[in-house]
Amino acid sequence: MYTYRPKRFYIQVFAATWSFWLFAILFDKGIPSLAGMFLGLISPSTIAIITVFSSKSDALKKDFKRKIFNFWKLKPGYILGGYLIMAAVIASSIIMSVPLGGSLKQFSITEGFSFSGPGIFSAFAILLLASTMEEVGWRGYGEDSIAQYCSWFKESIIFGFVWALWHLPLFWISGTYQMEIRSMSNWYMINFFISVVPMGFVTTWVYVKNGRSMLASILFHLFVNFMQEKIAMTQATKCIETFCVTIAAALIVLTNRDMFFEKRHVGSILGDAIPQREKV
């Protein structure tokens, strides 16, 4: 029987990620900074893979492989539902911004990306890499390690705050989206942190409804990142978007109360009768 250790996992992830990203901040630009940025980005997935495959649990290893390779078991309706929810959130945010001085021109597609990179395809590759590496770490081990000991509702709150905090050093790394919004206003920086928490509920919904599929989470995460980059919303409108995504998350929870509040999975997320020795 395998015992999840969320505290150990997240301490390792934060220590590795923040060390590499602090290295990137110190060097500011050039190859050393890019290397630090990249190594920090892949830290969650690297630690998740090491944690899973260095364990003696065949069930944990099998579950990891299933979550990323069993694409035929995906439920496209829930992935499409996630896409439509986020599209509705973006559309509502832009429309609500108009009486406050916003423009419907925000529905247009941007030409480039907010972060620096050698070409548009390279920028998209960075989005794909970021989405994949984060989800392999978070959904490969991190989220389940919390849900093993509590409901998906409580897990979503805990993970949302942890996920938001994980991004902190990015606000001081040159060329990142986070540094760009910090340079505009500290309020936009605060809005970013707040917005991550309700997004955690939406992502959890897509993940669990697809049988805890990492692949579903990767597809959804990539879509969200791409839309945030390519739709010409202003940062002021993204503050409204935070309100809209919070409403969307609340509606998802209310219409999926059994999923978010049941505790049948607690202690046996792998199907094992795992003792409750570790507490979140």
Side-chain angles (χ1 to χ4, degrees):
M1 293 185 293
Y2 180 75
T3 301
Y4 278 100
R5 294 179 173 83
K7 293 177 183 177
R8 185 181 68 179
F9 173 76
Y10 283 106
I11 288 172
Q12 290 174 340
V13 166
F14 272 74
T17 301
W18 283 19
S19 294
F20 287 126
W21 284 353
L22 287 173
F23 180 84
I25 292 169
L26 290 173
F27 280 89
D28 189 35
K29 296 178 182 179
I31 298 299
S33 180
L34 289 174
M37 177 67 182
F38 175 75
L39 292 172
L41 178 63
I42 67 172
S43 290
S45 59
T46 302
I47 292 170
I49 291 170
I50 292 172
T51 300
V52 170
F53 290 98
S54 65
S55 75
K56 297 180 180 180
S57 172
D58 290 335
L60 183 65
K61 297 172 186 176
K62 183 177 180 180
D63 187 60
F64 184 93
K65 294 174 184 176
R66 174 196 64 77
K67 289 191 293 183
I68 199 165
F69 294 120
N70 286 14
F71 61 87
W72 58 87
K73 291 189 177 181
L74 292 178
K75 296 179 179 178
Y78 287 109
I79 300 175
L80 178 60
Y83 291 172
L84 292 176
I85 288 169
M86 290 311 301
V89 164
I90 290 170
S92 299
S93 303
I94 293 173
I95 292 170
M96 290 172 65
S97 76
V98 174
L100 301 175
S103 170
L104 292 178
K105 291 182 180 180
Q106 293 176 92
F107 280 109
S108 62
I109 306 299
T110 62
E111 293 184 2
F113 290 82
S114 65
F115 51 88
S116 59
I120 196 168
F121 294 106
S122 175
F124 179 76
I126 291 171
L127 283 182
L128 177 59
L129 177 66
S131 302
T132 302
M133 292 296 99
E134 282 195 52
E135 293 305 322
V136 169
W138 305 141
R139 254 48 75 170
Y141 188 89
E143 188 163 14
D144 288 351
S145 72
I146 300 174
Q148 173 68 13
Y149 304 104
C150 60
S151 69
W152 288 108
F153 180 81
K154 183 177 179 181
E155 182 280 327
S156 297
I157 294 174
I158 295 171
F159 176 73
F161 280 103
V162 171
W163 189 24
L165 184 61
W166 178 77
H167 290 85
L168 182 61
L170 291 174
F171 288 92
W172 286 270
I173 298 180
S174 297
T176 63
Y177 167 77
Q178 285 79 10
M179 186 172 190
E180 181 188 2
I181 63 176
R182 186 177 70 87
S183 68
M184 295 179 185
S185 170
N186 286 335
W187 289 111
Y188 295 152
M189 177 178 171
I190 293 170
N191 177 64
F192 174 88
F193 284 115
I194 296 172
S195 69
V196 171
V197 179
M199 271 304 304
F201 282 89
V202 183
T203 305
T204 294
W205 177 72
V206 173
Y207 173 64
V208 177
K209 286 296 185 178
N210 277 279
R212 295 170 42 251
S213 168
M214 272 189 277
L215 183 56
S217 296
I218 290 169
L219 293 172
F220 180 67
H221 195 153
L222 177 61
F223 176 82
V224 171
N225 283 355
F226 188 78
M227 292 292 283
Q228 293 299 305
E229 282 288 331
K230 299 306 292 178
I231 302 299
M233 283 193 298
T234 65
Q235 286 300 323
T237 299
K238 288 187 178 182
C239 293
I240 299 174
E241 182 188 32
T242 297
F243 169 77
C244 291
V245 79
T246 300
I247 297 299
L251 290 173
I252 287 173
V253 171
L254 288 173
T255 54
N256 293 269
R257 288 189 292 271
D258 182 67
M259 188 205 97
F260 278 99
F261 294 102
E262 60 83 14
K263 293 185 178 180
R264 295 183 297 274
H265 69 277
V266 174
S268 58
I269 206 164
L270 293 174
D272 299 328
I274 301 176
Q276 300 296 299
R277 293 196 294 267
E278 176 97 358
K279 299 297 181 181
V280 175

